[in-house]
Amino acid sequence: MSAFRSPRQLRSAREIAAMREAGLIVWRALKSMEQAVRPGVTTAELDAIAAKTFEDVGAEPLFLNFPNATPGWPVFPAVTCISINEEVVHGIPRADRKLAEGDVASVDTGCKLNGWCGDSAVTYAVGTVDAEKQKLLSVTKGVLHLAIDLMGKKSRWCEVASEMERFVKDHGFSVVEDFVGHGIGREMHEDPQVPNFCSKRTPRSQDFKLEPGLVIAVEPMVNVGVKSVKTMPDGWTQATRDGKPSAHFEHTIAITADGPQVLTAGPNGEL
Ligand code: MG
Ligand code: MG
């Protein structure tokens, strides 16, 4: 999902409060799906839970009918992306795809409420997972929490991103570079692009100033093995090239005068 069209904008406190309402609905959808995650549940059943959550409050699902980056490929057919094990992002929910004991399942969804967007992802363990997958989940969630913390302490994004990359590498894993986070507001994907790494090749537009009013979706994708991904035959699902597992966590985060505010946290600030 990579249609960056709207230019970067800073949001007022009132606009951020409106985005918080959208973010809370996204949190609720993910929480409802989490409660249904178990061996044997289909990814289509999980998708229906998110669809119902959005429908009940009149929120518009942002992923449904999202255009493919490759011309001629079909639009995205579901409300969530559900990506299992070696799948990194953009997995398509299906009635014939069941979760199994020991899987890790990344669930990503977003909605627009009263004209404002929220976007968040969580990777769930299905039953008991092996030690490597447990570590993968804790490192990927950990690097998102590190980013949130650093967003209140650093002045530019690249300072945050380089520490994210180092944290992941220090744990022996790799950061996906083919997909990145994004600005978010009236549209799900706005400028700037928000990489989870920083190098000499990083364009200046991706080393933006962290200032009050900035709202971005930060979404590290971490692989156990190589960082490279490939597109599967369905035209959407991205999987690791070496077939090793991947995890993905995402929050929509605003910078305010009081520091970072996670707009897709739970009602009591649960991350
Ligand atoms: Mg997302
Ligand atoms: Mg996103």
Side-chain angles (χ1 to χ4, degrees), residues 149-225:
D149 179 50
L150 291 174
M151 282 171 71
K153 296 175 177 164
K154 304 290 189 184
S155 59
R156 302 194 71 85
W157 176 253
C158 224
E159 298 174 82
V160 177
S162 56
E163 291 210 24
M164 292 174 77
E165 184 177 20
R166 182 177 322 129
F167 178 88
V168 170
K169 286 182 174 168
D170 283 351
H171 284 92
F173 296 151
S174 63
V175 173
V176 171
E177 296 184 0
D178 289 354
F179 294 91
V180 298
H182 47 93
I184 180 168
R186 289 285 187 189
E187 304 292 334
M188 176 166 61
H189 292 150
E190 300 185 351
D191 283 336
Q193 294 196 43
V194 183
N196 303 295
F197 55 92
C198 182
S199 76
K200 290 195 195 83
R201 299 184 310 281
T202 299
R204 269 201 67 75
S205 62
Q206 294 175 20
D207 183 25
F208 46 88
K209 194 174 169 208
L210 298 171
E211 55 191 321
L214 180 76
V215 185
I216 55 177
V218 179
E219 49 179 313
M221 290 144 268
V222 174
N223 294 351
V224 162

Coordinates of all heavy atoms in Angstrom, one line a residue, residues 149-225:
D149 N 9.3 6.2 22.2 CA 10.0 6.9 23.3 C 11.0 7.9 22.7 O 11.0 9.1 23.1 CB 10.8 5.8 24.1 CG 11.6 6.5 25.2 OD1 11.0 7.3 26.0 OD2 12.8 6.2 25.3
L150 N 11.7 7.5 21.6 CA 12.7 8.4 21.1 C 12.1 9.6 20.3 O 12.7 10.7 20.2 CB 13.6 7.7 20.1 CG 14.5 6.6 20.8 CD1 15.3 5.8 19.7 CD2 15.5 7.3 21.7
M151 N 10.8 9.5 19.9 CA 10.2 10.6 19.2 C 10.0 11.8 20.1 O 9.8 12.9 19.6 CB 8.8 10.1 18.6 CG 8.9 9.3 17.3 SD 7.4 8.6 16.8 CE 6.5 10.0 16.3
G152 N 10.0 11.6 21.4 CA 9.9 12.7 22.4 C 11.3 13.2 22.7 O 11.3 14.2 23.5
K153 N 12.3 12.6 22.3 CA 13.7 13.0 22.7 C 14.6 13.5 21.6 O 15.6 14.2 21.8 CB 14.4 11.8 23.4 CG 13.6 11.4 24.7 CD 14.2 10.1 25.3 CE 13.5 9.8 26.6 NZ 13.8 8.4 27.0
K154 N 14.3 13.1 20.4 CA 15.1 13.4 19.2 C 14.5 14.6 18.4 O 13.3 14.8 18.5 CB 15.4 12.2 18.3 CG 15.9 11.0 19.0 CD 17.4 11.2 19.4 CE 18.0 9.9 20.0 NZ 19.4 10.1 20.4
S155 N 15.3 15.2 17.6 CA 14.7 16.3 16.8 C 14.4 16.0 15.4 O 13.7 16.6 14.7 CB 15.6 17.5 16.9 OG 16.9 17.2 16.4
R156 N 15.1 14.9 14.9 CA 14.8 14.5 13.5 C 14.6 13.0 13.4 O 15.1 12.2 14.2 CB 16.0 14.8 12.6 CG 16.4 16.3 12.6 CD 17.4 16.7 11.5 NE 16.7 16.6 10.2 CZ 16.0 17.6 9.6 NH1 15.9 18.8 10.3 NH2 15.4 17.5 8.5
W157 N 13.8 12.6 12.4 CA 13.4 11.2 12.3 C 14.6 10.2 12.1 O 14.6 9.1 12.7 CB 12.4 11.0 11.1 CG 12.1 9.5 11.0 CD1 12.5 8.7 10.0 CD2 11.3 8.7 11.9 NE1 12.0 7.4 10.3 CE2 11.3 7.4 11.4 CE3 10.7 9.0 13.1 CZ2 10.7 6.3 12.1 CZ3 10.1 7.9 13.8 CH2 10.1 6.6 13.3
C158 N 15.6 10.7 11.3 CA 16.7 9.7 11.1 C 17.4 9.3 12.3 O 17.9 8.2 12.4 CB 17.7 10.4 10.1 SG 18.2 9.3 8.8
E159 N 17.4 10.2 13.3 CA 18.0 9.8 14.6 C 17.2 8.7 15.3 O 17.8 7.8 15.9 CB 18.0 11.0 15.6 CG 18.8 12.2 15.1 CD 18.6 13.4 16.0 OE1 19.3 13.4 17.1 OE2 17.8 14.3 15.7
V160 N 15.9 8.7 15.1 CA 15.1 7.6 15.7 C 15.3 6.4 14.8 O 15.5 5.3 15.4 CB 13.6 8.0 15.6 CG1 12.7 6.9 16.1 CG2 13.3 9.3 16.5
A161 N 15.2 6.5 13.5 CA 15.3 5.4 12.6 C 16.6 4.6 12.7 O 16.6 3.4 12.7 CB 15.0 5.8 11.2
S162 N 17.7 5.4 12.9 CA 19.0 4.7 13.0 C 19.1 3.9 14.3 O 19.6 2.8 14.3 CB 20.1 5.7 12.8 OG 20.0 6.7 13.8
E163 N 18.5 4.4 15.4 CA 18.5 3.6 16.6 C 17.5 2.4 16.5 O 17.8 1.3 17.1 CB 18.1 4.5 17.8 CG 19.2 5.5 18.1 CD 19.3 5.9 19.6 OE1 18.8 5.1 20.4 OE2 19.8 7.0 19.8
M164 N 16.5 2.5 15.8 CA 15.6 1.4 15.5 C 16.3 0.3 14.8 O 16.3 -0.9 15.2 CB 14.4 1.8 14.7 CG 13.4 2.7 15.3 SD 12.1 3.3 14.2 CE 11.0 1.9 14.1
E165 N 17.0 0.7 13.7 CA 17.8 -0.3 12.9 C 18.8 -1.0 13.8 O 19.0 -2.2 13.7 CB 18.4 0.4 11.8 CG 19.1 -0.4 10.8 CD 19.7 0.4 9.6 OE1 19.9 1.6 9.7 OE2 20.0 -0.3 8.6
R166 N 19.5 -0.2 14.6 CA 20.6 -0.8 15.4 C 20.0 -1.8 16.4 O 20.5 -2.9 16.7 CB 21.4 0.3 16.2 CG 22.5 -0.3 17.0 CD 23.4 0.8 17.7 NE 23.6 1.9 16.9 CZ 23.4 3.2 17.3 NH1 22.9 3.4 18.5 NH2 23.6 4.2 16.4
F167 N 18.9 -1.5 17.0 CA 18.2 -2.3 18.0 C 17.9 -3.7 17.4 O 18.1 -4.7 18.0 CB 16.9 -1.6 18.5 CG 16.1 -2.4 19.5 CD1 16.3 -2.3 20.9 CD2 15.0 -3.2 19.1 CE1 15.5 -3.0 21.8 CE2 14.2 -3.9 20.0 CZ 14.5 -3.8 21.3
V168 N 17.3 -3.6 16.2 CA 16.9 -4.9 15.5 C 18.2 -5.7 15.2 O 18.2 -6.9 15.4 CB 16.1 -4.6 14.3 CG1 15.9 -5.8 13.4 CG2 14.7 -4.0 14.7
K169 N 19.2 -5.1 14.6 CA 20.4 -5.8 14.2 C 21.1 -6.4 15.4 O 21.6 -7.5 15.4 CB 21.3 -4.9 13.5 CG 20.9 -4.6 12.0 CD 21.8 -3.7 11.2 CE 21.4 -3.6 9.8 NZ 22.1 -2.6 9.1
D170 N 21.1 -5.6 16.6 CA 21.7 -6.1 17.8 C 21.1 -7.4 18.3 O 21.7 -8.2 19.0 CB 21.7 -5.1 18.9 CG 22.7 -4.0 18.7 OD1 23.6 -4.1 17.8 OD2 22.6 -2.9 19.4
H171 N 19.8 -7.6 17.9 CA 19.1 -8.8 18.3 C 19.2 -9.9 17.2 O 18.6 -11.0 17.3 CB 17.6 -8.5 18.6 CG 17.4 -7.9 19.9 ND1 17.4 -6.5 20.1 CD2 17.3 -8.4 21.2 CE1 17.3 -6.2 21.4 NE2 17.2 -7.3 22.1
G172 N 20.0 -9.6 16.2 CA 20.3 -10.7 15.2 C 19.3 -10.8 14.1 O 19.3 -11.7 13.3
F173 N 18.3 -9.8 14.0 CA 17.3 -9.8 13.0 C 17.5 -8.7 12.0 O 18.5 -7.9 12.1 CB 15.9 -9.6 13.6 CG 15.5 -10.7 14.6 CD1 14.7 -10.5 15.7 CD2 16.0 -12.0 14.4 CE1 14.3 -11.5 16.5 CE2 15.6 -13.1 15.2 CZ 14.7 -12.8 16.3
S174 N 16.7 -8.6 10.9 CA 16.8 -7.6 9.9 C 15.6 -6.7 9.8 O 14.4 -7.2 10.0 CB 17.2 -8.2 8.6 OG 16.2 -9.0 8.1
V175 N 15.7 -5.5 9.3 CA 14.6 -4.5 9.1 C 14.3 -4.6 7.6 O 15.1 -4.4 6.8 CB 15.1 -3.1 9.5 CG1 14.0 -2.1 9.1 CG2 15.4 -3.0 11.0
V176 N 13.0 -4.7 7.3 CA 12.5 -4.7 6.0 C 12.7 -3.2 5.4 O 12.3 -2.3 6.1 CB 11.0 -5.1 5.9 CG1 10.5 -4.8 4.5 CG2 10.9 -6.6 6.3
E177 N 13.2 -3.1 4.2 CA 13.5 -1.8 3.7 C 12.5 -1.5 2.5 O 12.4 -0.3 2.1 CB 14.9 -1.6 3.2 CG 15.9 -1.7 4.4 CD 17.3 -1.5 4.1 OE1 17.6 -1.2 2.9 OE2 18.2 -1.5 5.0
D178 N 11.9 -2.5 2.0 CA 11.0 -2.3 0.8 C 9.7 -1.6 1.2 O 9.0 -1.1 0.3 CB 10.7 -3.6 0.1 CG 12.0 -4.2 -0.6 OD1 13.0 -3.5 -0.6 OD2 11.9 -5.3 -1.1
F179 N 9.3 -1.6 2.4 CA 8.1 -1.0 2.9 C 8.4 -0.1 4.1 O 9.2 -0.5 4.9 CB 7.0 -2.0 3.2 CG 6.6 -2.8 2.0 CD1 7.2 -4.0 1.6 CD2 5.6 -2.3 1.2 CE1 6.8 -4.7 0.5 CE2 5.2 -3.0 0.0 CZ 5.8 -4.2 -0.3
V180 N 7.7 1.0 4.2 CA 8.0 2.0 5.2 C 6.7 2.5 5.8 O 5.6 2.3 5.2 CB 8.8 3.1 4.7 CG1 10.2 2.6 4.2 CG2 8.1 3.9 3.6
G181 N 6.7 3.3 6.9 CA 5.6 4.0 7.4 C 5.3 5.2 6.6 O 5.9 5.5 5.6
H182 N 4.4 6.1 7.2 CA 3.9 7.2 6.4 C 3.2 8.2 7.2 O 2.7 7.9 8.3 CB 2.8 6.6 5.4 CG 1.9 5.7 6.0 ND1 0.6 6.1 6.5 CD2 1.9 4.3 6.3 CE1 0.0 5.1 7.0 NE2 0.7 4.0 6.9
G183 N 3.2 9.4 6.7 CA 2.3 10.4 7.3 C 0.9 10.0 7.1 O 0.5 9.2 6.3
I184 N 0.0 10.5 8.0 CA -1.4 10.1 8.0 C -2.3 11.3 8.5 O -1.8 12.0 9.4 CB -1.6 8.8 8.8 CG1 -3.1 8.4 8.8 CG2 -1.1 9.0 10.3 CD1 -3.3 6.9 9.4
G185 N -3.5 11.4 8.0 CA -4.3 12.5 8.4 C -5.7 12.3 7.7 O -6.4 11.4 8.0
R186 N -6.0 13.2 6.8 CA -7.2 13.1 6.0 C -7.2 11.8 5.1 O -8.2 11.3 4.7 CB -7.4 14.3 5.1 CG -7.8 15.6 5.9 CD -9.2 15.5 6.3 NE -9.7 16.7 7.0 CZ -10.8 16.8 7.6 NH1 -11.6 15.8 7.6 NH2 -11.2 18.0 8.1
E187 N -5.9 11.5 4.6 CA -5.7 10.3 3.9 C -4.9 9.3 4.7 O -4.1 9.8 5.6 CB -4.9 10.6 2.6 CG -5.6 11.7 1.7 CD -6.9 11.2 1.1 OE1 -7.1 10.0 0.9 OE2 -7.8 12.0 0.8
M188 N -5.0 8.0 4.4 CA -4.2 7.1 5.1 C -2.7 7.3 4.8 O -1.8 7.1 5.7 CB -4.6 5.6 4.8 CG -3.7 4.6 5.4 SD -4.4 2.9 5.4 CE -4.5 2.6 3.6
H189 N -2.3 7.5 3.6 CA -0.9 7.6 3.2 C -0.7 9.1 2.7 O -1.1 9.5 1.7 CB -0.6 6.7 2.0 CG -0.6 5.3 2.5 ND1 -0.9 4.2 1.6 CD2 -0.4 4.7 3.7 CE1 -0.9 3.1 2.3 NE2 -0.5 3.3 3.5
E190 N 0.0 9.8 3.6 CA 0.5 11.2 3.2 C 2.0 11.2 3.3 O 2.6 10.3 3.9 CB -0.2 12.2 4.2 CG -1.7 12.1 4.1 CD -2.4 13.2 5.0 OE1 -1.7 13.9 5.8 OE2 -3.6 13.3 4.9
D191 N 2.6 12.3 2.9 CA 4.0 12.5 3.1 C 4.2 12.8 4.6 O 3.2 13.3 5.2 CB 4.5 13.8 2.3 CG 4.7 13.4 0.9 OD1 4.9 12.2 0.6 OD2 4.6 14.4 0.1
P192 N 5.3 12.5 5.2 CA 6.5 12.0 4.6 C 6.4 10.4 4.6 O 5.6 9.8 5.3 CB 7.6 12.4 5.5 CG 6.9 12.4 6.9 CD 5.5 12.9 6.6
Q193 N 7.3 9.8 3.8 CA 7.6 8.4 4.0 C 8.4 8.2 5.3 O 9.2 9.1 5.6 CB 8.3 7.8 2.8 CG 7.5 7.8 1.6 CD 8.0 6.9 0.5 OE1 8.4 5.8 0.8 NE2 8.0 7.4 -0.7
V194 N 8.2 7.1 6.0 CA 8.8 7.0 7.4 C 9.5 5.6 7.4 O 9.0 4.6 7.9 CB 7.7 7.0 8.5 CG1 8.3 7.0 9.9 CG2 6.9 8.3 8.3
P195 N 10.8 5.6 7.0 CA 11.6 4.4 7.0 C 12.0 4.0 8.4 O 12.1 4.8 9.3 CB 12.8 4.7 6.2 CG 13.0 6.2 6.3 CD 11.6 6.7 6.4
N196 N 12.2 2.7 8.6 CA 12.6 2.1 9.9 C 14.1 1.9 9.9 O 14.6 1.0 10.7 CB 11.9 0.8 10.2 CG 10.4 1.0 10.1 OD1 9.8 1.7 11.0 ND2 9.7 0.4 9.1
F197 N 14.8 2.7 9.1 CA 16.3 2.5 9.0 C 16.8 3.9 8.5 O 16.0 4.7 8.0 CB 16.7 1.4 8.0 CG 16.0 1.6 6.7 CD1 16.7 2.3 5.7 CD2 14.7 1.1 6.4 CE1 16.1 2.5 4.4 CE2 14.1 1.3 5.2 CZ 14.8 2.0 4.2
C198 N 18.1 4.1 8.6 CA 18.6 5.4 8.1 C 20.0 5.1 7.5 O 20.8 4.4 8.2 CB 18.7 6.4 9.2 SG 19.3 8.0 8.6
S199 N 20.3 5.6 6.3 CA 21.6 5.4 5.8 C 22.0 6.7 5.0 O 21.2 7.6 4.9 CB 21.6 4.2 4.8 OG 21.0 4.5 3.6
K200 N 23.2 6.7 4.4 CA 23.6 7.8 3.6 C 22.7 8.0 2.4 O 22.6 9.1 1.8 CB 25.1 7.6 3.2 CG 26.1 7.6 4.3 CD 27.5 7.8 3.7 CE 28.6 7.5 4.7 NZ 28.8 6.0 4.9
R201 N 22.1 6.9 2.0 CA 21.2 7.0 0.8 C 19.8 7.4 1.1 O 19.0 7.6 0.3 CB 21.1 5.6 0.1 CG 22.4 5.1 -0.4 CD 22.3 3.7 -1.1 NE 21.5 2.8 -0.4 CZ 22.0 2.0 0.6 NH1 23.2 2.1 1.0 NH2 21.2 1.1 1.2
T202 N 19.5 7.6 2.4 CA 18.1 8.0 2.8 C 17.9 9.5 2.3 O 18.7 10.4 2.6 CB 18.0 8.0 4.4 OG1 18.2 6.7 4.8 CG2 16.6 8.6 4.8
P203 N 16.8 9.7 1.5 CA 16.6 11.0 1.0 C 16.3 12.0 2.1 O 15.7 11.6 3.1 CB 15.4 10.9 0.1 CG 15.0 9.4 0.0 CD 15.9 8.7 1.0
R204 N 16.6 13.2 1.9 CA 16.3 14.2 3.0 C 14.9 14.3 3.4 O 14.5 14.6 4.5 CB 16.8 15.6 2.5 CG 18.3 15.8 2.9 CD 18.7 17.3 3.0 NE 18.1 18.1 4.0 CZ 18.4 18.1 5.3 NH1 19.3 17.3 5.7 NH2 17.8 18.9 6.2
S205 N 14.0 14.0 2.4 CA 12.5 14.1 2.7 C 12.1 13.1 3.8 O 11.1 13.2 4.4 CB 11.7 13.8 1.4 OG 12.0 12.5 0.9
Q206 N 13.0 12.0 3.9 CA 12.7 11.0 4.9 C 13.4 11.2 6.2 O 13.4 10.3 7.1 CB 13.0 9.6 4.3 CG 12.1 9.3 3.2 CD 12.4 8.0 2.5 OE1 13.1 7.1 3.1 NE2 12.0 7.8 1.3
D207 N 14.1 12.4 6.3 CA 14.8 12.8 7.6 C 14.2 14.1 8.0 O 14.8 15.1 8.2 CB 16.3 12.9 7.4 CG 17.0 13.2 8.7 OD1 16.4 12.9 9.8 OD2 18.1 13.8 8.7
F208 N 12.9 14.0 8.3 CA 12.1 15.2 8.6 C 12.2 15.6 10.1 O 12.6 14.8 10.9 CB 10.6 14.9 8.2 CG 10.1 13.6 8.7 CD1 9.6 13.5 10.0 CD2 10.2 12.5 7.9 CE1 9.1 12.3 10.5 CE2 9.8 11.2 8.4 CZ 9.2 11.1 9.7
K209 N 11.8 16.8 10.3 CA 11.9 17.4 11.7 C 10.7 16.8 12.5 O 9.6 16.7 12.0 CB 11.8 18.9 11.6 CG 12.1 19.6 12.9 CD 12.1 21.1 12.6 CE 12.2 21.8 14.0 NZ 11.6 23.2 14.0
L210 N 11.0 16.5 13.8 CA 9.9 16.0 14.7 C 9.4 17.2 15.4 O 10.0 17.7 16.4 CB 10.5 14.9 15.6 CG 11.1 13.7 15.0 CD1 11.8 12.8 16.0 CD2 10.0 12.9 14.3
E211 N 8.2 17.7 15.0 CA 7.7 18.9 15.6 C 6.2 18.7 15.9 O 5.6 17.9 15.3 CB 7.9 20.1 14.6 CG 7.3 19.9 13.2 CD 7.8 20.9 12.2 OE1 7.8 22.1 12.6 OE2 8.0 20.6 11.1
P212 N 5.7 19.5 16.9 CA 4.3 19.4 17.3 C 3.4 19.5 16.1 O 3.6 20.4 15.2 CB 4.2 20.5 18.3 CG 5.5 20.7 18.9 CD 6.5 20.5 17.7
G213 N 2.4 18.6 16.0 CA 1.5 18.6 14.9 C 1.8 17.6 13.9 O 0.9 17.2 13.0
L214 N 3.0 17.0 13.9 CA 3.3 15.9 13.0 C 2.6 14.7 13.4 O 2.6 14.3 14.6 CB 4.9 15.7 13.0 CG 5.4 14.6 12.1 CD1 5.4 15.0 10.6 CD2 6.7 14.1 12.5
V215 N 1.9 14.0 12.5 CA 1.3 12.7 12.8 C 1.8 11.7 11.7 O 1.6 11.9 10.5 CB -0.3 12.8 12.7 CG1 -0.9 11.5 13.1 CG2 -0.8 14.0 13.6
I216 N 2.3 10.6 12.2 CA 2.9 9.6 11.3 C 2.5 8.2 11.8 O 2.3 8.0 13.0 CB 4.4 9.7 11.2 CG1 5.1 9.6 12.6 CG2 4.9 10.9 10.5 CD1 6.7 9.6 12.6
A217 N 2.4 7.3 10.9 CA 2.2 5.9 11.2 C 3.6 5.2 11.1 O 4.3 5.2 10.1 CB 1.3 5.2 10.2
V218 N 4.1 4.7 12.3 CA 5.4 4.1 12.4 C 5.1 2.6 12.4 O 4.4 2.1 13.2 CB 6.1 4.5 13.7 CG1 7.5 3.8 13.8 CG2 6.3 6.0 13.7
E219 N 5.8 1.9 11.5 CA 5.4 0.4 11.3 C 6.6 -0.4 11.0 O 6.8 -0.9 9.8 CB 4.3 0.3 10.3 CG 4.4 1.0 9.0 CD 3.2 0.7 8.1 OE1 2.8 -0.5 8.0 OE2 2.6 1.6 7.5
P220 N 7.4 -0.7 12.0 CA 8.6 -1.6 11.7 C 8.1 -3.0 11.3 O 7.2 -3.6 11.9 CB 9.3 -1.7 13.1 CG 8.3 -1.3 14.1 CD 7.4 -0.3 13.4
M221 N 8.8 -3.6 10.3 CA 8.6 -4.9 9.8 C 10.0 -5.6 10.0 O 11.0 -5.1 9.5 CB 8.2 -5.0 8.3 CG 6.8 -4.5 8.1 SD 6.7 -3.6 6.5 CE 7.0 -1.9 7.1
V222 N 10.0 -6.6 10.8 CA 11.3 -7.3 11.2 C 11.3 -8.7 10.8 O 10.3 -9.4 11.0 CB 11.5 -7.2 12.7 CG1 12.7 -7.9 13.2 CG2 11.6 -5.7 13.2
N223 N 12.4 -9.1 10.1 CA 12.6 -10.5 9.6 C 13.6 -11.2 10.5 O 14.6 -10.7 10.8 CB 13.0 -10.5 8.2 CG 12.0 -9.9 7.2 OD1 10.8 -9.7 7.6 ND2 12.3 -9.8 6.0
V224 N 13.4 -12.5 10.7 CA 14.3 -13.3 11.4 C 15.6 -13.5 10.5 O 16.7 -13.5 11.0 CB 13.7 -14.7 11.7 CG1 14.8 -15.8 12.0 CG2 12.8 -14.6 12.9
G225 N 15.4 -13.6 9.2 CA 16.5 -13.9 8.3 C 16.8 -12.7 7.4 O 17.0 -11.6 7.9

